[in-house]
Structure formats: structure tokens, C-alpha cells
Amino acid sequence: MLNFELYNPTRLIFGKGQIARLAEFTPKTKILLVYGGGSIFKNGIHDQVRAALEGYDITEFAGIEANPRFETAMKAVALIKEHGIKFILAVGGGSVIDAVKFMSAAVNFEGDPIEILQKRMLIKENAMPFGTVLTIPATGSEMNSGAVISIERTHEKLSFGGQALFPQFSICDPTVISSLPKRQIQNGVVDAYTHVLEQYLTYKHDAFLQDRIGEAILSTLIEIGPSVVENPGDYALQSNLMWCCTMALNGLLNKGVPTDWATHMIGHELTALYGIDHARTLAIIGPNLYRAMFDTKMEKLAQYGRRIFNLQGPDEEVARNAIERTSAFLESMGMELHISRFSQDTDAPEIIEKRFADRGWLGIGEKQLVTPEKVREIVQASL
């Protein structure tokens, strides 16, 4: 097992009716309430939040995009400074929470905040405190310190993070799932599933417990994924999906193990170029990355195939069948597995290869073997 340090200061408040407890955890100061479109008005969550924080000095900021933009977040940063805001409350899914993490990092940043993204900076101090009310389970951003932001001007989607960017608290009421569109629930299941695979499908190691925890999440998502899409009001399904999504990326699974994240890095480019939903980019890229990197991942793919899909046979056969079973699960969750379902542009392989090379990303993945040339091969296979 690799050496590791585990730090997660986020207080998680989970279950029905917990939004009513919001004032217990929110400081009595000037607050910026941040959300996306109008869904929190339609499902009543905005009313619940305002009722819970009655008497608070609240300024609202709406309009966070599904792929949150640097330009939009900077407007909120200006508002924070103008109104003397001291605390930010994100009410939304991963996009809203990620935008708030950027605001938290940028408001006291000395220099041009775009450097936080372009240099993939680690924010270790001097961030503004914030909390979250989760409305869409998917990204795990409610209990981790990472985020991804898009830059509209350059059509890039870049990640950043740091120990100062954990939410102080996150309120997670699974019943919000009942009001979500089917597409968002599908995306949440696939996002969480791929988060686990990024920390699991690498190479054999001796962190046995981490593997078993990851396998438990994968098996649970396979069991409940299609059902929660069709029965979003079932509390057993709601609660297990929300907890799976949080556990998939709250920092526990990556302790003591090698991790990959190449699927995400390539997928971000598809979102930046073509506006494809994040989870759907993962479904497009993931299986083709496993095929392209088969020689280095075969042993772990075989373990995955045996433990998750109960496959039998020689390692190579089980490993290849595991990729096909993964693709079948993704399709059962409503995923399209080719870029051509979203765009007829055939230049993506060369564009993305060049972007990786220009940024100096010359080797990514668990063994840094996914070169820009490999990236081109993977995207070509995904067209």
C-alpha cells in the first residue's frame, strides 16, 4: 500500500428534511447564495433554504452553467467584494459547487485568478469559507476539495483544488432526486461509476480494502442505477445513489492506491469543444481508453470482470469481456458511446492531441503512459 494522508474536514448532514437544519451550520454573516437555473424554485428547495436562513443577510447569484464558466464565476467574485460577503452557500449540483470553489479560491487570490486554472494550482490557504446544499448527486464535489471550471474564451475545461477548498458542511437530502430529469439521474450514476473506475482500473496492488470498497460501490450502482432512473421517488434508491456518488469521490478510495484520471482529462476536452455532458464524455472515452491501454490494465480488468460481472476464463478473455460488459452497462444507463452522436467534427483527435502537447501533458494515467499520441488514438476510436 502506498503512503497516504487522509484529511477531510467536511461535515456531512444526510437524510430527509435536513435542509431545515441549515442555520445550525451557517455562520450569521453576509452570505452569497449561489445557484444555477430555476430548478430550485420549481422543486421548493429555494423556499426551504430561505426559510431555514430567515433573518440572514443574503445576496443571491444565479446563472451558474451546467459546465461552470470562469467568466461567470468572476462576476460573482466581484459581487462578493462589492457587498463584503463573508460566506458562500452553494445550492445545486457539482457545477454550482465547483463554481463556488473557484469563487472561494479567487476572491482573495493575489494575481490573475485565471492562473488558478491554467497552472492547476493547489489552494492551501486564504480561501473564503463555504457550505453546500446538494441538489444533484453525481460528482462528489460536496465532500471533496477538487473542481473543474471552463474558460469560454479558450474553450478549455481545467481542474484545480487544494485543502482549503473543502466545504465546511454539506446538506444532502436524497429526496431531491425525485424532481430531477431522467438525463441528470443517468449522468449521476455514470459519473460516480467512472469516478470509481479511475481509482480502481489501474494495476494490481496490495491495498485490498480499497479495492473492495470500490467494488461495493460499483456493484451497488449496477444494482440500483436503472431502477432509480425509472423510480426516482423510491427513498431506498435515492439514498443509496446519493451516498454512492459521495463515497465515489470524497477522497477515501484514492488513499494508498495508484489512480488514473486520463478518461476525465480527455473527456473534459469533449465538453469544452462540443458541450457534451460530462458523464457522457466519460462513457464515450472510458471503454476506448481501456482498449488502448489494455496491456497495462489487463490484470486489473480481469479482477474487475470476475468480481463485478462474475466472468470466468483466462485473464485476457475475462478482461476483454469486462470492457464489453462495461459498455453494455453504460448503454443501459442511456449513454451514447460515440462522439458522432453529438458532433460530426472529425478533427477532435488532432485538436486534443495538440492541446495535451501544448500544455506539457506528455504522459498521464497511472503509469504516465497515455501520451498525446495515445490520446489521439483513443479519441479516434471514439468518433
Side-chain angles (χ1 to χ4, degrees), residues 39 60 82 135 145 158 163 193 257 267 303 320 352 354 363:
S39 62
E60 298 195 11
E82 177 186 348
T135 65
S145 62
L158 302 172
Q163 65 186 33
Y193 197 89
V257 303
Q303 175 182 302
R320 293 194 186 281
I352 297 174
K354 185 177 187 303

Side-chain angles (χ1 to χ4, degrees), residues 32-193:
L32 185 68
L33 174 61
V34 180
Y35 49 90
S39 62
I40 67 168
F41 293 93
K42 296 175 184 176
N43 60 21
I45 292 175
H46 182 270
D47 288 343
Q48 292 180 54
V49 168
R50 292 303 302 238
L53 296 180
E54 185 177 359
Y56 277 71
D57 185 348
I58 297 174
T59 301
E60 298 195 11
F61 185 89
I64 300 299
E65 304 87 358
N67 293 294
R69 296 175 183 169
F70 164 79
E71 293 83 0
T72 303
M74 286 304 297
K75 293 177 183 178
V77 170
L79 195 64
I80 290 169
K81 294 179 178 179
E82 177 186 348
H83 289 268
I85 302 295
K86 301 299 181 184
F87 188 86
I88 316 172
L89 181 63
V91 180
S95 296
V96 173
I97 298 171
D98 280 10
V100 165
K101 287 179 181 178
F102 183 79
M103 298 170 200
S104 170
V107 69
N108 297 319
F109 185 74
E110 296 180 2
D112 186 345
I114 202 169
E115 294 181 359
I116 296 171
L117 304 176
Q118 292 175 337
K119 297 182 178 180
R120 302 183 73 193
M121 298 185 70
L122 290 176
I123 307 300
K124 298 181 179 180
E125 58 188 2
N126 207 27
M128 179 165 285
F130 66 95
T132 89
V133 175
L134 183 66
T135 65
I136 304 172
T139 69
S141 194
E142 68 276 5
M143 201 180 178
N144 66 40
S145 62
V148 184
I149 295 291
S150 297
I151 305 173
E152 185 176 19
R153 175 172 54 82
T154 59
H155 297 288
E156 293 179 285
K157 186 174 180 179
L158 302 172
S159 61
F160 68 102
Q163 65 186 33
L165 298 180
F166 283 100
Q168 288 194 345
F169 65 83
S170 287
I171 294 180
C172 302
D173 182 341
T175 61
V176 300
I177 293 173
S178 63
S179 66
L180 296 178
K182 179 181 290 189
R183 186 182 184 93
Q184 285 187 327
I185 301 174
Q186 292 171 330
N187 286 352
V189 172
V190 171
D191 203 1
Y193 197 89

